[in-house]
mmCIF file of all heavy atoms in Angstrom:
data_model
loop_
_atom_site.group_PDB
_atom_site.id
_atom_site.type_symbol
_atom_site.label_atom_id
_atom_site.label_comp_id
_atom_site.label_asym_id
_atom_site.label_seq_id
_atom_site.Cartn_x
_atom_site.Cartn_y
_atom_site.Cartn_z
ATOM 1 N N ALA S 156 -2.042 13.673 15.556
ATOM 2 C CA ALA S 156 -2.231 12.605 14.571
ATOM 3 C C ALA S 156 -2.960 13.126 13.349
ATOM 4 O O ALA S 156 -2.633 12.768 12.208
ATOM 5 C CB ALA S 156 -3.001 11.445 15.199
ATOM 6 N N SER S 157 -3.961 13.974 13.568
ATOM 7 C CA SER S 157 -4.702 14.547 12.451
ATOM 8 C C SER S 157 -3.798 15.411 11.577
ATOM 9 O O SER S 157 -3.847 15.340 10.340
ATOM 10 C CB SER S 157 -5.870 15.384 12.988
ATOM 11 O OG SER S 157 -6.600 15.954 11.926
ATOM 12 N N ALA S 158 -2.954 16.216 12.213
ATOM 13 C CA ALA S 158 -2.029 17.055 11.453
ATOM 14 C C ALA S 158 -1.060 16.194 10.652
ATOM 15 O O ALA S 158 -0.749 16.495 9.489
ATOM 16 C CB ALA S 158 -1.256 17.972 12.405
ATOM 17 N N ARG S 159 -0.586 15.125 11.275
ATOM 18 C CA ARG S 159 0.357 14.233 10.594
ATOM 19 C C ARG S 159 -0.334 13.545 9.417
ATOM 20 O O ARG S 159 0.247 13.391 8.328
ATOM 21 C CB ARG S 159 0.876 13.195 11.580
ATOM 22 C CG ARG S 159 2.069 12.425 11.055
ATOM 23 C CD ARG S 159 3.097 12.226 12.140
ATOM 24 N NE ARG S 159 4.393 11.954 11.554
ATOM 25 C CZ ARG S 159 5.533 12.395 12.022
ATOM 26 N NH1 ARG S 159 5.561 13.183 13.071
ATOM 27 N NH2 ARG S 159 6.673 12.071 11.436
ATOM 28 N N LEU S 160 -1.571 13.117 9.599
ATOM 29 C CA LEU S 160 -2.278 12.407 8.534
ATOM 30 C C LEU S 160 -2.590 13.332 7.365
ATOM 31 O O LEU S 160 -2.469 12.940 6.198
ATOM 32 C CB LEU S 160 -3.564 11.783 9.091
ATOM 33 C CG LEU S 160 -4.284 10.779 8.197
ATOM 34 C CD1 LEU S 160 -3.383 9.599 7.826
ATOM 35 C CD2 LEU S 160 -5.553 10.269 8.878
ATOM 36 N N THR S 161 -2.970 14.565 7.642
ATOM 37 C CA THR S 161 -3.267 15.495 6.545
ATOM 38 C C THR S 161 -2.004 15.828 5.753
ATOM 39 O O THR S 161 -2.050 15.921 4.520
ATOM 40 C CB THR S 161 -3.918 16.791 7.066
ATOM 41 O OG1 THR S 161 -3.122 17.336 8.130
ATOM 42 C CG2 THR S 161 -5.316 16.524 7.604
ATOM 43 N N ALA S 162 -0.876 16.000 6.455
ATOM 44 C CA ALA S 162 0.385 16.239 5.744
ATOM 45 C C ALA S 162 0.746 15.035 4.885
ATOM 46 O O ALA S 162 1.252 15.176 3.763
ATOM 47 C CB ALA S 162 1.499 16.529 6.745
ATOM 48 N N CYS S 163 0.467 13.854 5.400
ATOM 49 C CA CYS S 163 0.741 12.626 4.652
ATOM 50 C C CYS S 163 -0.099 12.566 3.380
ATOM 51 O O CYS S 163 0.398 12.177 2.322
ATOM 52 C CB CYS S 163 0.458 11.413 5.541
ATOM 53 S SG CYS S 163 0.592 9.825 4.697
ATOM 54 N N VAL S 164 -1.367 12.957 3.479
ATOM 55 C CA VAL S 164 -2.244 12.920 2.299
ATOM 56 C C VAL S 164 -1.712 13.852 1.212
ATOM 57 O O VAL S 164 -1.714 13.509 0.022
ATOM 58 C CB VAL S 164 -3.690 13.296 2.683
ATOM 59 C CG1 VAL S 164 -4.545 13.518 1.431
ATOM 60 C CG2 VAL S 164 -4.307 12.195 3.547
ATOM 61 N N ILE S 165 -1.234 15.021 1.601
ATOM 62 C CA ILE S 165 -0.653 15.938 0.613
ATOM 63 C C ILE S 165 0.558 15.294 -0.050
ATOM 64 O O ILE S 165 0.749 15.378 -1.272
ATOM 65 C CB ILE S 165 -0.289 17.280 1.271
ATOM 66 C CG1 ILE S 165 -1.557 18.000 1.722
ATOM 67 C CG2 ILE S 165 0.515 18.156 0.304
ATOM 68 C CD1 ILE S 165 -1.306 19.233 2.578
ATOM 69 N N GLU S 166 1.390 14.634 0.745
ATOM 70 C CA GLU S 166 2.564 13.952 0.189
ATOM 71 C C GLU S 166 2.139 12.812 -0.735
ATOM 72 O O GLU S 166 2.731 12.611 -1.805
ATOM 73 C CB GLU S 166 3.440 13.422 1.318
ATOM 74 C CG GLU S 166 4.773 12.864 0.835
ATOM 75 C CD GLU S 166 5.700 12.438 1.960
ATOM 76 O OE1 GLU S 166 5.344 12.623 3.144
ATOM 77 O OE2 GLU S 166 6.792 11.911 1.658
ATOM 78 N N LEU S 167 1.108 12.061 -0.330
ATOM 79 C CA LEU S 167 0.584 10.998 -1.185
ATOM 80 C C LEU S 167 0.136 11.549 -2.534
ATOM 81 O O LEU S 167 0.410 10.965 -3.586
ATOM 82 C CB LEU S 167 -0.616 10.321 -0.507
ATOM 83 C CG LEU S 167 -0.365 9.345 0.634
ATOM 84 C CD1 LEU S 167 -1.681 9.016 1.328
ATOM 85 C CD2 LEU S 167 0.266 8.074 0.112
ATOM 86 N N CYS S 168 -0.579 12.671 -2.485
ATOM 87 C CA CYS S 168 -1.067 13.282 -3.724
ATOM 88 C C CYS S 168 0.091 13.717 -4.613
ATOM 89 O O CYS S 168 0.038 13.572 -5.839
ATOM 90 C CB CYS S 168 -1.984 14.464 -3.411
ATOM 91 S SG CYS S 168 -3.560 13.997 -2.657
ATOM 92 N N ALA S 169 1.145 14.257 -3.993
ATOM 93 C CA ALA S 169 2.321 14.658 -4.769
ATOM 94 C C ALA S 169 2.958 13.440 -5.432
ATOM 95 O O ALA S 169 3.393 13.496 -6.595
ATOM 96 C CB ALA S 169 3.331 15.369 -3.871
ATOM 97 N N GLY S 170 3.024 12.332 -4.696
ATOM 98 C CA GLY S 170 3.569 11.104 -5.269
ATOM 99 C C GLY S 170 2.728 10.580 -6.415
ATOM 100 O O GLY S 170 3.260 10.146 -7.448
ATOM 101 N N GLN S 171 1.411 10.646 -6.248
ATOM 102 C CA GLN S 171 0.524 10.195 -7.312
ATOM 103 C C GLN S 171 0.639 11.084 -8.543
ATOM 104 O O GLN S 171 0.645 10.593 -9.687
ATOM 105 C CB GLN S 171 -0.922 10.193 -6.825
ATOM 106 C CG GLN S 171 -1.944 9.732 -7.852
ATOM 107 C CD GLN S 171 -1.741 8.290 -8.257
ATOM 108 O OE1 GLN S 171 -1.931 7.375 -7.475
ATOM 109 N NE2 GLN S 171 -1.345 8.055 -9.493
ATOM 110 N N GLN S 172 0.755 12.390 -8.324
ATOM 111 C CA GLN S 172 0.901 13.305 -9.453
ATOM 112 C C GLN S 172 2.199 13.031 -10.213
ATOM 113 O O GLN S 172 2.225 13.036 -11.450
ATOM 114 C CB GLN S 172 0.864 14.750 -8.964
ATOM 115 C CG GLN S 172 0.852 15.771 -10.103
ATOM 116 C CD GLN S 172 0.748 17.189 -9.601
ATOM 117 O OE1 GLN S 172 1.465 17.579 -8.673
ATOM 118 N NE2 GLN S 172 -0.152 17.973 -10.175
ATOM 119 N N ALA S 173 3.274 12.771 -9.476
ATOM 120 C CA ALA S 173 4.550 12.454 -10.122
ATOM 121 C C ALA S 173 4.433 11.165 -10.923
ATOM 122 O O ALA S 173 4.939 11.063 -12.047
ATOM 123 C CB ALA S 173 5.648 12.325 -9.071
ATOM 124 N N ASP S 174 3.764 10.182 -10.351
ATOM 125 C CA ASP S 174 3.571 8.906 -11.044
ATOM 126 C C ASP S 174 2.824 9.118 -12.360
ATOM 127 O O ASP S 174 3.187 8.557 -13.396
ATOM 128 C CB ASP S 174 2.798 7.949 -10.129
ATOM 129 C CG ASP S 174 2.822 6.511 -10.629
ATOM 130 O OD1 ASP S 174 3.728 6.155 -11.413
ATOM 131 O OD2 ASP S 174 1.941 5.732 -10.227
#
Side-chain angles (χ1 to χ4, degrees):
S157 180
R159 193 139 201 142
L160 192 58
T161 51
C163 174
V164 169
I165 294 171
E166 188 175 357
L167 284 169
C168 291
Q171 180 64 68
Q172 187 177 47
D174 193 22

